[in-house]
Amino acid sequence: IRDRDYMDYFGPNGAGKSTLMNIITDNLKLDSGKILWNGQESKTLGAKYREILGYMPQGQGLYNGFTAKRFLNYIAVLKEVPKEEIEMQIQKVSKSVNLQDELGKKIGMYSGGMKQRLLIAATIIGNPKLLIFDEPTAGLDPKERIRVKKIMSELAKDKIVIIATHIVPDIENIANEIIILKDGILREKNTPEELIRKYAENGDLEDVYMNIFGE
């Protein structure tokens, strides 16, 4: 992984996207190969590699009895954010996802989209350089999907953002590079424009998807 603004892992359910995310984040051990960060093996970086990462796994593992502020404070402590910086960081990340006025509410009162935005805030607290989102818009209505995509696009201005998704509109017009997985195998790695030229001339990414996966 090197300095790129916005990369997407793209494929149907079961293609291996979440497995790859878990390998990159060291939640699954490699059978072979290496994970490199700027040319250095991640396993040699130890705790420094974990400081680089911000990971939002698939699904919402939240504490509905917590307020959003308490939850973000809890995450900040787990990430070893210095105590004197926690309040400032909570305000910063909550503002970036437009939840600054909702911090006092219990998470159980949040909509699905608000919960996803709270998870994004939890992912970026501590200022990690590499942000990984696994199916971040799954289950959201169109309005919240657009809001979440805009947030992630904004984050990509000064961070590396990787998204795993099977929802074509989530990556169209925002990804710099797309990696296509099928049955755990890397099928393609290219820009959206080159993928369209190769697989769906005069079409779009949905046509690329249909031509590769036949679904």
Side-chain angles (χ1 to χ4, degrees):
I1 301 169
R2 294 178 295 177
D3 293 342
R4 290 185 181 273
D5 291 333
Y6 212 123
M7 182 186 300
D8 281 274
Y9 292 108
F10 184 38
N13 290 326
K17 303 183 302 295
S18 294
T19 298
L20 183 55
M21 298 292 94
N22 278 300
I23 289 172
I24 293 174
T25 56
D26 203 30
N27 289 313
L28 285 176
K29 299 301 179 184
L30 286 166
D31 293 322
S32 61
K34 299 175 182 179
I35 298 295
L36 302 178
W37 171 259
N38 285 334
Q40 190 172 354
E41 281 195 68
S42 60
K43 66 182 181 181
T44 67
L45 294 171
K48 289 184 178 179
Y49 184 60
R50 290 189 291 275
E51 291 175 7
I52 290 165
L53 288 171
Y55 178 42
M56 178 178 164
Q58 189 174 0
Q60 296 179 345
L62 293 166
Y63 303 106
N64 286 334
F66 278 25
T67 64
K69 185 171 184 177
R70 183 183 177 192
F71 175 72
L72 290 175
N73 189 87
Y74 170 65
I75 296 298
V77 171
L78 289 180
K79 289 188 174 185
E80 299 183 354
V81 175
K83 186 175 181 180
E84 63 274 14
E85 295 181 14
I86 289 177
E87 179 62 26
M88 179 271 292
Q89 289 217 25
I90 288 174
Q91 294 302 320
K92 181 179 179 180
V93 300
S94 63
K95 185 176 181 180
S96 71
V97 299
N98 198 29
L99 286 176
Q100 68 272 24
D101 297 327
E102 311 291 340
L103 290 176
K105 289 184 179 179
K106 288 190 175 182
I107 296 171
M109 299 173 62
Y110 273 26
S111 67
M114 291 171 71
K115 288 179 178 179
Q116 289 294 80
R117 284 186 275 141
L118 179 60
L119 283 171
I120 293 173
T123 301
I124 63 178
I125 203 165
N127 198 32
K129 297 177 181 178
L130 171 61
L131 302 176
I132 299 175
F133 299 97
D134 192 356
E135 303 285 2
T137 63
L140 298 185
D141 63 38
K143 182 179 178 180
E144 281 292 355
R145 278 176 52 203
I146 291 170
R147 188 197 298 266
V148 167
K149 284 194 297 180
K150 285 182 177 179
I151 290 169
M152 290 186 291
S153 183
E154 187 69 23
L155 289 171
K157 290 180 178 180
D158 62 355
K159 299 179 186 299
I160 299 170
V161 177
I162 299 176
I163 296 176
T165 186
H166 66 282
I167 303 174
V168 177
D170 282 356
I171 60 175
E172 204 155 16
N173 303 320
I174 58 174
N176 292 343
E177 185 175 53
I178 295 175
I179 292 175
I180 297 178
L181 298 176
K182 185 176 184 180
D183 299 325
I185 304 298
L186 176 66
R187 285 289 305 269
E188 286 285 354
K189 181 174 77 112
N190 219 319
T191 64
E193 294 78 14
E194 283 300 307
L195 289 172
I196 291 170
R197 183 190 63 77
K198 183 174 181 180
Y199 288 98
E201 194 166 1
N202 300 319
D204 56 23
L205 283 180
E206 288 192 340
D207 296 315
V208 172
Y209 186 103
M210 295 297 292
N211 289 335
I212 292 177
F213 298 111
E215 299 175 7

